[in-house]
Amino acid sequence: MKLPRYLFPSDYMADPSANVFNGRLYIYPSHDWDSGATEDDDGGHFEMKDYHVLSLDDVENGDVTDHGQVLCVEDVPWVGRQMWDNDVVERNGKYYLIYSAKDLCDVFRLGVAVADHPAGPFVPQPDPIRGSYSIDPCAFKDDDGEVYVYFGGLWGGQLQRYRDNKALKNEYLPQGSEDALPSRVARMSNDMLQFAEEPKPVIILDKQGLPLKADDPHRFFEASWMHKYKGKYYFSYSTGDSHLLCYATGDSPYGPFIFQGVILEPVVGWTTHHSIVEYKGNWYLFYHDCIPSNDTTWLRSLKVQRLYYNDEGAIKTVVNE
């Protein structure tokens, strides 16, 4: 089968977080349901009321196993609606699903659910992570075993409602030549149930060492992802309204990160979201587009293609086909 390929054409899923556990590749997507609501930045027309787990052994030709629903809105006392992006990380033989959802006051928080197997089922904690906010968590386990959660998203993701980890009376989104609003990162506690520290800004600098500006088409918008390649930290993300996937590199999980370039050109759809993972000696980019839903509902479908680096470690830009 020629890549890119649609991974699970029988259902609409998005925001794929791909991880390798016990020699098998697992994908943790969000799940689109057509609510019939009008499209808006809030994403209500996606509904997104549960999570499934997918897995496969052969990325390019193998069948995809759907392990079924592993968590839903009704399972979590603090969740009101809209289970958005999630990610899973292993620590000390347990699997921790870090997810974003709106609480009963319609404020996005991050939650934790725990399982004994990467395919779940996941048992949710009764309360969200203290001090958490916004959306799109990526749970990155470094070589020393420490786990860092990257998160944040603008507009419907509510990141503009916060400054220095405190809620603002009136939200503020930087404009023009102001510094762009950065995502956040926090190291997790040893039990993986709370932040071990106050979240820190993830600063992306240009080649002159200056923070990217709010009007830069390559500035952060949502969909943080972290991976390492040859000892370097690669922070990748979506730019939102310019519909690019971009990346920056650094020498620490906290950054700062130097902008390097574009990973993926715009896809058909309202959002762009991704993950990057090495599996069986190859690197893969997982993402979504809306081609199968015929541009009418913007429901999203999972997709994968190969990712390549040049000799200097730069990621070669790929085009959705």
Side-chain angles (χ1 to χ4, degrees):
M1 180 178 294
K2 180 180 181 294
L3 291 184
R5 64 176 286 203
Y6 285 104
L7 284 168
F8 200 63
S10 62
D11 202 350
Y12 293 114
M13 297 186 181
D15 310 328
S17 295
N19 292 277
V20 179
F21 298 126
N22 307 319
R24 187 171 177 86
L25 196 141
Y26 290 85
I27 302 166
Y28 302 91
S30 57
H31 192 187
D32 285 357
W33 295 77
D34 185 4
S35 69
T38 303
E39 296 170 16
D40 58 22
D41 294 335
D42 188 51
H45 59 291
F46 291 145
E47 192 163 356
M48 302 171 76
K49 57 188 178 182
D50 65 351
Y51 297 126
H52 283 230
V53 175
L54 309 178
S55 73
L56 66 165
D57 181 65
D58 182 346
V59 175
E60 304 194 15
N61 297 290
D63 294 333
V64 176
T65 299
D66 179 9
H67 297 274
Q69 184 188 90
V70 296
L71 196 67
C72 69
V73 167
E74 289 78 12
D75 295 333
V76 192
W78 66 266
V79 171
R81 65 190 183 108
Q82 287 181 301
M83 285 180 151
W84 284 18
D85 180 41
N86 72 96
D87 193 16
V88 171
V89 65
E90 181 275 333
R91 194 170 196 178
N92 298 324
K94 296 282 189 178
Y95 297 86
Y96 297 88
L97 186 150
I98 316 293
Y99 62 98
S100 52
K102 283 184 173 176
D103 66 15
L104 301 178
C105 296
D106 244 16
V107 175
F108 270 115
R109 307 289 186 194
L110 304 184
V112 181
V114 188
D116 294 320
H117 187 276
F122 288 88
V123 178
Q125 296 296 298
D127 299 296
I129 296 173
R130 291 188 297 273
S132 67
Y133 53 93
S134 201
I135 61 168
D136 289 0
C138 164
F140 167 72
K141 186 177 182 180
D142 208 348
D143 299 333
D144 61 1
E146 293 287 355
V147 174
Y148 301 85
V149 170
Y150 298 80
F151 65 94
L154 279 60
W155 296 353
Q158 303 180 351
L159 187 60
Q160 70 277 5
R161 297 185 182 184
Y162 298 84
R163 181 178 297 162
D164 299 327
N165 302 315
K166 302 293 189 297
L168 297 170
K169 182 178 181 180
N170 298 300
E171 66 178 39
Y172 181 74
L173 191 62
Q175 303 292 322
S177 60
E178 295 179 281
D179 289 352
L181 193 61
S183 59
R184 304 286 190 266
V185 58
R187 182 171 54 84
M188 294 297 288
S189 58
N190 289 334
D191 64 6
M192 287 296 298
L193 302 182
Q194 301 292 337
F195 292 153
E197 60 187 3
E198 288 281 311
K200 306 176 190 300
V202 180
I203 303 299
I204 303 172
L205 306 175
D206 63 21
K207 294 300 176 63
Q208 287 71 49
L210 299 175
L212 295 188
K213 304 305 179 184
D215 60 0
D216 191 314
H218 305 120
R219 59 89 175 92
F220 171 81
F221 184 87
E222 63 182 4
S224 301
W225 187 261
M226 174 60 67
H227 74 282
K228 287 182 82 171
Y229 179 76
K230 295 186 175 180
K232 277 279 189 183
Y233 295 85
Y234 284 65
F235 177 71
S236 48
Y237 57 95
S238 171
T239 62
D241 47 358
S242 56
H243 300 292
L244 302 170
L245 290 179
C246 293
Y247 78 105
T249 59
D251 298 316
S252 161
Y254 295 112
F257 297 95
I258 308 300
F259 176 77
Q260 299 295 335
V262 173
I263 298 174
L264 179 67
E265 296 290 346
V267 302
V268 174
W270 204 43
T271 66
T272 308
H273 203 117
H274 74 300
S275 59
I276 294 170
V277 68
E278 183 182 19
Y279 184 58
K280 295 186 176 180
N282 295 316
W283 285 91
Y284 293 98
L285 172 69
F286 293 82
Y287 59 106
H288 62 238
D289 68 23
C290 298
I291 292 174
S293 65
N294 297 315
D295 306 347
T296 54
T297 61
W298 300 112
L299 296 175
R300 298 162 294 180
S301 296
L302 301 179
K303 212 165 187 180
V304 62
Q305 64 174 296
R306 290 278 294 274
L307 195 70
Y308 299 93
Y309 303 81
N310 68 17
D311 293 341
E312 288 73 43
I315 297 175
K316 298 181 180 180
T317 302
V318 295
V319 177
N320 186 47
E321 299 175 359

